[in-house]
Amino acid sequence: NKTLNIESTKFRLATIEIFDLNGRKLLEKHFSKSTKEIEIDVSHLPSGVYFCRLNTENKSVTKKLIIK
């Protein structure tokens, strides 16, 4: 499956960013509270390790993302 699904209702505005291991931003997507679930197509990214950052009004979380 080449999609990344994120679900949350605890923020008003958020941004998802995906970076490669060199720190280059490959994708950025914005969404609002009215969006309960967001689906991001990552099929254009080759298999490998990436970092996914979720930025909200008052918090930022970065997680490792492995695409097979």
Side-chain angles (χ1 to χ4, degrees), residues 1-65:
N1 193 347
K2 292 282 189 162
T3 60
L4 172 64
N5 295 306
I6 298 171
E7 183 177 336
S8 182
T9 58
K10 297 184 179 192
F11 52 81
R12 288 186 303 218
L13 299 171
T15 303
I16 295 287
E17 301 170 312
I18 297 179
F19 298 90
D20 66 12
L21 291 178
N22 293 318
R24 289 182 295 218
K25 188 187 303 184
L26 305 174
L27 184 141
E28 181 173 335
K29 187 151 185 162
H30 303 274
F31 54 104
S32 65
K33 184 177 182 180
S34 62
T35 306
K36 292 183 179 179
E37 181 178 359
I38 189 164
E39 183 175 286
I40 300 171
D41 180 12
V42 293
S43 62
H44 65 284
L45 299 174
S47 298
V49 178
Y50 299 88
F51 293 104
C52 180
R53 180 185 301 153
L54 171 65
N55 296 307
T56 64
E57 302 91 14
N58 56 7
K59 191 172 184 180
S60 178
V61 177
T62 303
K63 298 287 183 177
K64 182 169 50 173
L65 172 65

